[in-house]
Amino acid sequence: MLIEELYEALIEAGASEEKAKAAARAIAAYERRFAGMETELVNVRSSLQKEFADFRSSLAKSFADIDKQFIESRADVDKKFTEHRAYVDTKFMESRSYVDTKFMESRAYVETKFAESRAYVDAKFTDVNTKFTDVNTKFTESRAYVETKFAETRTYIEKEFTDIRGGLRLQYWMTGTTIALVTTILFKIFS
């Protein structure tokens, strides 16, 4: 078999008849090979498509199995979580009840001790108030005594200052009189 178009083109180009036939036959052989290759490629492609479809189907089945297992695992985890949460809630309520009881007991104890301490302090303050009443009385008496003594001292000091002022006035008068007398005598002597 040969390719006539190629054979005629080679003859027109100046090739010999034998060479043109050989070249046209060689190209025809390559064409058959290419056709065989195309057939093989189509077969390979068909085989790959089939294998890819099988792989895809297998993969979809595997993902479906994984989804099923995930859903089962999630349901199991949700169940366990719910059980654990109920357990934790129960323990928390028990602990809270225990803490509340202990807190109430401690509070009652503290309030009792506080009431006792307050009664003790109130009694001590009552004693101190009684003693301060005595101190207030003594302080009032001492203040009255001091004020009396201060008034007496002030009266005495004012009397003494009055006497001193009187004595000073007398002394000024006597000094003035003495000066006047000496001046008069000096006038008489020197005049």
Side-chain angles (χ1 to χ4, degrees):
M1 176 173 225
L2 71 102
I3 301 173
E4 287 184 31
E5 293 87 8
L6 180 60
Y7 172 75
E8 289 174 4
L10 289 173
I11 293 279
E12 276 184 34
S16 68
E17 195 174 309
E18 286 178 23
K19 286 184 181 180
K21 280 184 184 178
R25 281 188 187 131
I27 295 296
Y30 279 116
E31 211 172 76
R32 277 190 303 250
R33 283 184 194 164
F34 282 129
M37 284 183 187
E38 278 183 12
T39 304
E40 281 185 41
L41 282 175
V42 168
N43 289 339
V44 167
R45 184 176 181 185
S46 172
S47 175
L48 283 175
Q49 284 177 342
K50 183 179 180 284
E51 286 183 26
F52 184 71
D54 290 345
F55 175 73
R56 193 172 180 182
S57 172
S58 174
L59 193 62
K61 184 181 176 195
S62 294
F63 276 122
D65 289 344
I66 289 171
D67 283 346
K68 181 181 174 189
Q69 288 174 357
F70 179 75
I71 290 169
E72 290 172 357
S73 295
R74 185 171 182 175
D76 187 47
V77 166
D78 286 346
K79 180 183 173 190
K80 295 288 184 190
F81 182 75
T82 303
E83 291 171 359
H84 184 68
R85 186 172 182 176
Y87 175 77
V88 167
D89 287 345
T90 303
K91 290 299 178 184
F92 179 76
M93 292 305 289
E94 290 172 1
S95 297
R96 186 172 181 177
S97 175
Y98 177 77
V99 167
D100 287 346
T101 302
K102 290 299 177 185
F103 180 76
M104 293 304 287
E105 291 172 0
S106 297
R107 186 173 181 178
Y109 176 77
V110 167
E111 286 177 354
T112 303
K113 290 298 178 185
F114 182 75
E116 291 172 1
S117 297
R118 187 169 184 177
Y120 176 77
V121 168
D122 287 345
K124 290 297 175 184
F125 270 115
T126 302
D127 290 345
V128 168
N129 281 341
T130 303
K131 289 178 182 174
F132 269 113
T133 302
D134 293 342
V135 168
N136 284 341
T137 304
K138 295 291 182 186
F139 183 75
T140 304
E141 291 172 359
S142 297
R143 188 172 182 176
Y145 177 77
V146 167
E147 285 178 355
T148 304
K149 289 299 179 184
F150 185 72
E152 290 174 0
T153 304
R154 187 173 183 174
T155 303
Y156 174 76
I157 289 171
E158 286 179 358
K159 181 182 173 287
E160 289 298 317
F161 272 116
T162 303
D163 290 347
I164 290 171
R165 282 187 199 134
L168 284 174
R169 283 188 189 145
L170 180 61
Q171 201 170 20
Y172 290 149
W173 180 79
M174 288 176 71
T175 303
T177 306
T178 304
I179 291 172
L181 185 62
V182 168
T183 305
T184 306
I185 292 175
L186 287 176
F187 272 137
K188 287 235 180 197
I189 293 176
F190 294 111
S191 5

